Amino acid sequence: KAKANGVNVVRWWTFEGDAWQIERDASGMPTGLNPAVYQDFDAALQLADANDITYVFVLFSAPSHLPSSWLNDPAQRRQLANVLAPLFARYADNPRVMSWEVFNEPDFDVWKDKVSESSMRETVREVVNSIHANSTALATVGMAMLDGLPMIKGLGLDYYQAHWYDYMQ
């Protein structure tokens, strides 16, 4: 239905909520991806091929939905990026993967003091570095407002995006 209505690119949310698909050890350190994740991505990409669409895979719905240690502990941030690396590598050259979007609307979390801007930025930087090291796809962050774009400057993103809602003038 999307393609029949002129859609060519779809934002597909991957680890929405608390990212339960990312396995953790007793300390909360990310250790790997649940293998079923790959089956889901394979199925999504088969749909993309069948319908001639591409994806922007939104990794995380918001920084505040992740364990705080993943944002605030440099070792856990790095490990999160390492855990995601095989996902990026598996689909490295797939033409249906346009980009990986690290977070959806992290500016709201920063403005509401749910996370610090510096920890959000460092998490984005680590994940973007992993994307670029393991994939030819683009890296981005989906900001809620144009006012939030300065928060993500200088992090190696391939393009910037700000979302638009009907109430905006």
Side-chain angles (χ1 to χ4, degrees):
K1 287 182 180 180
K3 185 64 177 183
N5 285 294
V7 173
N8 295 307
V9 179
V10 172
R11 286 178 77 226
W12 187 296
W13 290 48
T14 57
F15 306 119
E16 187 175 4
D18 77 347
W20 59 268
Q21 306 92 328
I22 297 176
E23 298 167 345
R24 305 151 198 200
D25 67 14
S27 73
M29 176 80 78
T31 59
L33 290 177
N34 181 314
V37 165
Y38 296 109
Q39 295 168 356
D40 292 343
F41 273 90
D42 290 345
L45 291 164
Q46 285 177 345
L47 286 171
D49 276 337
N51 293 285
D52 191 28
I53 60 171
T54 57
Y55 292 117
V56 174
F57 285 117
V58 182
L59 293 170
F60 305 110
S61 48
S64 63
H65 294 171
L66 296 180
S68 63
S69 60
W70 293 6
L71 296 169
N72 299 316
D73 179 330
Q76 290 202 21
R77 266 197 306 263
R78 201 168 310 108
Q79 182 60 16
L80 175 62
N82 290 339
V83 162
L84 294 170
L87 177 68
F88 305 143
R90 180 175 174 131
Y91 304 106
D93 297 315
N94 190 308
R96 299 297 174 189
V97 180
M98 184 178 110
S99 52
W100 298 97
E101 181 178 317
V102 181
F103 288 122
N104 177 63
E105 301 183 348
D107 36 350
F108 281 147
D109 275 359
V110 171
W111 290 329
K112 293 177 182 177
D113 292 322
K114 291 182 176 184
V115 300
S116 74
E117 182 175 340
S118 62
S119 64
M120 179 274 293
R121 284 179 53 83
E122 290 308 312
T123 304
V124 168
R125 185 186 320 275
E126 286 285 351
V127 175
V128 166
N129 288 343
S130 184
I131 293 167
H132 288 148
N134 295 286
S135 176
T136 58
L138 303 174
T140 189
V141 172
M143 301 303 278
M145 306 277 182
L146 286 171
D147 297 349
L149 289 178
M151 287 185 205
I152 56 171
K153 286 179 69 177
L155 300 178
L157 297 171
D158 296 300
Y159 67 95
Y160 298 103
Q161 59 170 306
H163 299 158
W164 182 264
Y165 297 96
D166 290 343
Y167 69 86
M168 296 175 169
Q169 298 286 322

